[in-house]
Amino acid sequence: MAGKVPPEPFRIKMVEPVHVPGAEDREKALKAGHFNMFGLRAADVYIDLLTDSGTGAMSKQQWAAIMMGDEAYAGADSFYSLKKSVKDVLGFDYTIPVHQGRAAENVVFGSLVKEGDVIPFNMPFDTTRGHVFNVGASSVDCVIDEAFDRENLHPFKGNVDLKKLEKTIARYGKDRIPFIMVTITNNSGGGQPVSLQNLRDVSAAAKKHAIPLLLDAARMAENAWFIKHREKEFADLSVGEILKETMNTADAITVSCKKDPLVNIGGLIACRTEEMYYKLTPRVILFEGFATYGGLAGRDLEALAVGLREMVNEEHLTHRIAQVRYLGELLSEGGVPCIHPIGGHAVFIDAGAFLPHIPQGSYPADVLSVEIYREGAIRGIGLGALAFENVDEKTGERTFPKLELYRLAINRRTYTNSHMEYVAETILDVYKRRESINYGLKVTYEPPVKGLKHFLAHLEPVKL
Ligand SMILES: *Cc1c(COP(=O)(O)O)cnc(C)c1O
């Protein structure tokens, strides 16, 4: 039996009606959207688990803070509210707001990385990888091997393998490595956390080589919750204290504030030194706006200042992480192959094992997306070959990622536990008929920019 989930630690003050479109309408929607989940209209979706990015519900305190927005172009009070939250919650002296996580990546990679550079990661998120490519650099995955073993119950499958990291540094040399970056939690590897000890070890290795350590910290509060509950030494610290310790390992962070910080739009960069701050600000002005608003309205900065403080609330985190696990357990008990342990923000289904008869080159994770939408108007997303395959420019040879995953990302404070039960029942119905799913997908349009195929591709079913 799936474990008990704590009831929602909030009540509903404003409702947003949603409904299940009929079977015929779902077929029409799939065709109109070129069988790509990004192509669907949200109105045609009942439970939308495409992403947990910017899709959560704000608190009444955040809505109240919106009224306090100071819309001054430079030096607005709202910037100082944000700066104070960042200092209080994360401990960094320098804060640069940006409009979302990839904007932070654009600023950081565009300012600190040059062509031919190499960035060691545990694993980069897809937009992060896109930004690595965009500046002519490349990334090296240094995540521990356990990350690729679906059933391995390692408590911190997002950890960096120190040996792989040292090897990478030895191979490319410090001059080609502008920084090391660790994604917490490791989204591309199943939302798996990174331990505080591991971050301290990576930080020590980085210091030894005089290479800065950056964190992609979109899910830093969830990561801190996992540390509290899985890393014995830190069990007595609050999530807030653990988060501060986590931040102490890093020279700078990029954050998509549409994730843990509980806003619908926003991102930030935080760093420790004036030197780095001044390296980053020109590109903020070129692409985002003046360095004290970074493409956001003053009211957005206020909502974010409050969200940063709310994200470490332990009742919120405990419910959220238990809700994600509840969905994962309902699916696992029905036999659906999921990545274990269940991650912080999402349930990842091993689509390769769900549909083993579909070759990876025919995009089984995306076939699964189509079938789950078809069954019950639920939108998740494939994160497999379509998103991560490498196609050799000269030979056209395709190399596939090790993991072929389908992700159900759970929005914060948005869906109830009973919505999770509907999702599980729907997917179990697909699982029962999985052997009769006998088609693959082919790409009929792809964008000319590397790394973005899954967002924009047009797909078409093809018989196997
Ligand atoms: C979402 C995300 C990003 C990109 O942030 P956006 O706000 O979507 O631009 C980067 N890294 C990680 C780990 C993310 O989850």
Side-chain angles (χ1 to χ4, degrees):
M1 269 286 284
K4 238 182 109 54
V5 218
E8 288 76 12
F10 52 82
R11 59 187 173 189
I12 294 162
K13 196 176 183 111
M14 188 191 285
V15 293
E16 187 173 15
V18 286
H19 82 290
V20 188
E24 245 176 62
D25 290 335
R26 300 202 292 269
E27 283 311 313
K28 274 190 206 144
L30 280 172
K31 282 211 184 80
H34 300 285
F35 296 89
N36 182 335
M37 293 298 112
F38 286 101
L40 294 177
R41 290 186 62 147
D44 292 324
V45 176
Y46 173 47
I47 309 255
D48 199 349
L49 308 180
L50 179 70
T51 168
D52 62 328
S53 182
T55 52
M58 291 210 298
S59 66
K60 65 177 181 180
Q61 287 81 2
Q62 285 178 291
W63 282 107
I66 277 192
M67 298 307 290
M68 300 301 291
D70 174 357
E71 307 299 343
Y73 191 91
D77 276 352
S78 301
F79 169 72
Y80 288 97
S81 306
L82 174 64
K83 188 174 160 72
K84 184 158 187 331
S85 282
V86 169
K87 178 69 184 171
D88 291 350
V89 179
L90 307 175
F92 290 93
D93 285 324
Y94 294 90
T95 297
I96 301 173
V98 290
H99 82 275
Q100 63 182 85
R102 70 202 63 188
E105 290 163 357
N106 179 30
V107 170
V108 165
F109 287 85
S111 308
L112 306 181
V113 182
K114 60 184 190 311
E115 207 178 323
D117 279 354
V118 175
I119 321 281
F121 279 87
N122 50 352
M123 283 171 84
F125 181 64
D126 56 4
T127 61
T128 321
R129 188 165 168 265
H131 276 287
V132 172
F133 288 145
N134 191 46
V135 293
S138 55
S139 62
V140 179
D141 287 358
C142 296
V143 73
I144 56 173
D145 288 337
E146 286 88 338
F148 301 106
D149 176 358
R150 187 181 84 219
E151 294 294 340
N152 190 305
L153 291 178
H154 191 294
F156 292 102
K157 283 166 94 170
N159 277 0
V160 174
D161 182 327
L162 273 294
K163 282 204 197 93
K164 289 185 193 171
L165 178 65
E166 286 292 354
K167 241 194 213 158
T168 306
I169 297 172
R171 176 159 175 209
Y172 296 100
K174 161 182 165 355
D175 291 343
R176 285 180 69 188
I177 304 180
F179 54 81
I180 296 162
M181 195 163 204
V182 180
T183 316
I184 60 170
T185 57
N186 183 20
N187 193 350
S188 306
Q192 299 293 325
V194 181
S195 75
L196 185 48
Q197 191 55 54
N198 187 251
L199 285 170
R200 286 179 175 173
D201 293 343
V202 173
S203 177
K207 279 211 175 70
K208 186 178 80 189
H209 295 283
I211 299 171
L213 172 61
L214 271 62
L215 300 177
D216 176 350
R219 296 187 181 74
M220 55 190 156
E222 288 167 13
N223 199 76
W225 188 95
F226 280 117
I227 290 171
K228 181 175 170 68
H229 292 273
R230 292 184 186 171
E231 205 169 353
K232 278 196 204 77
E233 293 162 75
F234 305 109
D236 294 335
L237 299 184
S238 69
V239 168
E241 288 164 336
I242 292 170
L243 182 58
K244 270 243 176 92
E245 289 297 321
T246 305
M247 293 296 124
N248 281 341
T249 64
D251 296 289
I253 57 172
T254 59
V255 187
S256 167
C257 297
K258 302 170 71 173
K259 316 292 170 54
D260 279 1
L262 293 162
V263 286
N264 300 121
I265 193 70
L268 63 85
I269 305 166
C271 64
R272 298 199 187 282
T273 65
E274 195 175 56
E275 187 196 345
M276 190 181 282
Y277 178 79
Y278 281 120
K279 266 192 201 160
L280 298 174
T281 41
R283 207 170 163 88
V284 179
I285 294 172
L286 279 177
F287 288 95
E288 291 293 290
F290 188 66
T292 60
Y293 75 88
L296 295 171
R299 55 184 171 272
D300 300 326
L301 301 174
E302 294 286 355
L304 174 54
V306 176
L308 280 169
R309 294 180 194 277
E310 287 181 359
M311 77 177 174
V312 290
N313 178 296
E314 295 191 22
E315 277 177 1
H316 155 62
L317 285 169
T318 298
H319 173 263
R320 165 164 179 70
I321 291 170
Q323 187 181 57
V324 175
R325 190 177 57 229
Y326 180 53
L327 174 59
E329 283 173 359
L330 292 174
L331 291 169
S332 301
E333 280 164 13
V336 174
C338 296
I339 302 266
H340 292 283
I342 302 299
H345 70 289
V347 174
F348 289 75
I349 294 175
D350 182 342
F354 194 114
L355 297 169
H357 52 286
I358 302 180
Q360 204 172 3
S362 300
Y363 307 125
D366 302 276
V367 172
L368 191 55
S369 299
V370 169
E371 288 305 312
I372 290 172
Y373 175 75
R374 189 168 259 156
E375 186 73 33
I378 294 161
R379 171 156 70 169
I381 187 67
L383 287 174
L386 187 68
F388 295 117
E389 73 182 330
N390 264 319
V391 183
D392 188 293
E393 274 161 29
K394 286 191 202 103
T395 63
E397 195 192 333
R398 300 161 77 185
T399 41
F400 299 121
K402 283 194 192 136
L403 299 169
E404 180 73 20
L405 302 177
Y406 169 81
R407 185 187 72 188
L408 297 156
I410 312 302
N411 308 337
R412 293 168 183 77
R413 309 190 291 204
T414 303
Y415 291 117
T416 63
N417 297 336
S418 99
H419 284 122
M420 296 302 112
E421 288 159 14
Y422 171 84
V423 172
E425 281 160 23
T426 303
I427 294 177
L428 288 173
D429 286 341
V430 177
Y431 191 63
K432 280 179 209 131
R433 62 175 176 80
R434 65 191 180 280
E435 279 163 21
S436 67
I437 301 169
N438 56 0
Y439 68 96
L441 289 165
K442 74 164 193 228
V443 176
T444 57
Y445 163 79
E446 67 177 284
V449 179
K450 205 172 159 187
L452 304 184
K453 186 159 62 183
H454 59 305
F455 292 110
L456 296 167
H458 293 180
L459 302 165
E460 218 173 72
V462 277
K463 265 219 125 7
L464 288 176

